[in-house]
Amino acid sequence: MASTLGVAVVGFGWMGRVHTQAYARIAHHYPHLGLRPELVLVAEEVPGRAEEAAEQFGFASTTRDWREVAADPRVQAVSITAPNFLHREIGVAMARAGKHIWIEKPVGLSAEDAGAVADAVAGAGVQGTVGFNYRNAPAVEAARELIASGEIGTVTHVRVRLFSDYAAHPEGALTWRYERARGGSGVLGDLASHGVDLARFLLGDIASLTADTAVFVPERARPTGATAGHSRGGGEPGPVENEDYVNCLLRFASGARGVLEACRVSVGEQNNYGFEVHGTRGAVFWDFRRMNELGVSRGTTYQDQPVSTVYVGPGAGEYGAFQPGAANAMGYDDLKVVEAYRFLRSIAEGTPYGTTLTDAVRSAAALEAMTRSAATGTWVDPA
């Protein structure tokens, strides 16, 4: 019989809802896990929002103060889905209170913040999982195996793209995301952090990089009330303090080269995320909008070598926990269920599965290297 694990969610915006739904689905997709999450407590400072979450999802208790979560003996694991500037304080406090943590990227505003949470997790002997969800796509895991097997030869270069229009509207509200003190490095932390994680997951460590950044929408309207997600403004205008766009050249420790480009104001682009990896004998392509497919070119033709569409199925990552055969679609929320499963499995077995705080620290170090490079116009070592 499965043991019960008391869980809490801190911050109930869109991502807090996604984490909660993932916990609710664990028993459906992973009935033999041995741990069943129980929704004990939800913390959200916006009046009424925690109560709405409790009514909809069945949390036993609510609070507006996240510190009550750290002090609650019923809580053994915590999802931290609050804004970036709160990640360090909440993450360190939860780990020191003996709570396992599932924390959203980028884990604070800096590599120092991510390192502080990582140190707290290691010092407390708890498990820590980070929300780099795109590497959980079965097709991405299949691509990694294909690259590692040598089927496309020695990797020569990769392109990673993350283009979105969520901030393209000039009337979008000036939320915490656009303030350096609360949101950090803008599109670097929001999207490029995923790109760095994908690049490292597929090709290994980044040895050096050079980057350029820009702000294309310099002012936005301050929100007149509580916001969630990417809402419209309506108040007085204020300055956008962090980056809308980043373009980065990468040199990997393996000798491969890469390009990482991310933008949050790309009109006409909706979640255009993906990668193209080229090797000496072939290539592999992935587009998040066709999440369960890979484009694969392999063989000995080299020139005019065709690309085939491969539909991943059971045997690729965690696909079999969701669908019985290839070409049955999985979606974004399924990736967070996989993430929740790996978090809970880490707790059950006492060993890390999936993304860890070490991945968050290395991603944050790369983002800071991009910022330094953009300021100096030089190549920078992210270590």
Side-chain angles (χ1 to χ4, degrees):
M1 185 174 179
S3 301
T4 298
L5 184 81
V7 301
V9 175
V10 176
F12 206 82
W14 171 67
M15 188 53 68
R17 179 180 296 271
V18 172
H19 277 229
T20 301
Q21 291 170 166
Y23 286 128
R25 292 175 58 192
I26 284 292
H28 303 161
H29 298 281
Y30 298 98
H32 306 299
L33 174 61
L35 274 183
R36 294 289 176 88
E38 180 182 359
L39 299 176
V40 170
L41 183 58
V42 56
E44 169 56 60
E45 67 176 6
V46 176
R49 192 177 285 175
E51 288 73 18
E52 290 175 4
E55 183 176 356
Q56 182 175 2
F57 294 102
F59 287 96
S61 305
T62 67
T63 180
R64 291 181 63 184
D65 185 354
W66 62 261
R67 294 167 186 82
E68 293 185 14
V69 176
D72 195 323
R74 299 174 299 167
V75 177
Q76 298 159 282
V78 181
S79 278
I80 301 171
T81 54
N84 298 350
F85 69 97
L86 295 171
H87 286 181
R88 177 174 181 165
E89 183 181 9
I90 297 174
V92 169
M94 295 302 171
R96 288 177 177 171
K99 319 294 188 186
H100 305 284
I101 64 171
W102 176 14
I103 185 168
E104 275 304 314
K105 57 82 204 168
V107 188
L109 303 177
S110 64
E112 182 183 355
D113 284 355
V117 179
D119 289 344
V121 165
V126 295
Q127 296 297 322
T129 293
V130 181
F132 288 123
N133 43 268
Y134 297 109
R135 68 155 65 184
N136 296 325
V140 173
E141 296 189 272
R144 184 179 191 234
E145 291 182 5
L146 184 131
I147 293 165
S149 74
E151 286 196 57
I152 64 169
T154 300
V155 172
T156 54
H157 58 101
V158 61
R159 177 177 179 240
V160 182
R161 69 186 185 282
L162 299 108
F163 300 145
S164 182
D165 65 356
Y166 69 78
H169 202 295
E171 295 177 4
L174 187 70
T175 65
W176 60 268
R177 292 181 182 278
Y178 305 99
E179 299 174 4
R180 194 163 294 279
R182 297 197 297 164
S185 55
V187 77
L188 276 72
D190 202 17
L191 294 181
S193 59
H194 281 299
V196 170
D197 186 67
L198 280 172
R200 290 186 57 252
F201 183 67
L202 295 169
L203 302 185
D205 287 337
I206 298 167
S208 61
L209 58 82
T210 185
D212 181 44
T213 63
V215 176
F216 296 133
V217 182
E219 280 192 339
R220 295 182 181 276
R222 299 185 187 281
T224 55
T227 62
H230 308 292
S231 56
R232 299 285 176 87
E236 293 296 317
V240 171
E241 299 174 351
N242 53 27
E243 302 84 352
D244 287 329
Y245 171 85
V246 61
N247 183 32
C248 183
L249 300 179
L250 306 168
R251 293 173 179 164
F252 292 86
S254 67
R257 298 299 196 261
V259 176
L260 189 161
E261 192 176 13
C263 186
R264 64 189 181 187
V265 296
S266 296
V267 175
E269 300 282 12
Q270 294 86 39
N271 295 339
N272 181 359
Y273 308 154
F275 57 75
E276 303 143 21
V277 181
H278 293 267
T280 53
R281 293 200 305 273
V284 60
F285 310 88
W286 180 73
D287 187 326
F288 169 66
R289 296 164 301 178
R290 303 178 71 89
M291 193 178 82
N292 307 288
E293 302 176 18
L294 287 177
V296 180
S297 178
R298 52 191 165 189
T300 57
T301 306
Y302 299 100
Q303 189 176 6
D304 298 328
Q305 185 163 283
V307 177
S308 300
T309 298
V310 176
Y311 298 98
V312 297
E318 293 296 323
Y319 185 96
F322 296 85
Q323 298 293 352
N328 288 289
M330 288 176 62
Y332 175 88
D333 283 9
D334 296 329
L335 302 184
K336 301 307 277 191
V337 177
V338 172
E339 206 164 83
Y341 161 66
R342 289 175 172 163
F343 175 47
L344 297 175
R345 185 180 177 189
S346 299
I347 296 169
E349 299 183 18
T351 189
Y353 289 93
T355 49
T356 67
L357 271 301
T358 297
D359 295 307
V361 171
R362 291 180 178 171
S363 176
L367 301 183
E368 290 191 352
M370 291 178 197
T371 301
R372 295 198 305 274
S373 175
T376 61
T378 59
W379 285 85
V380 176
D381 182 345

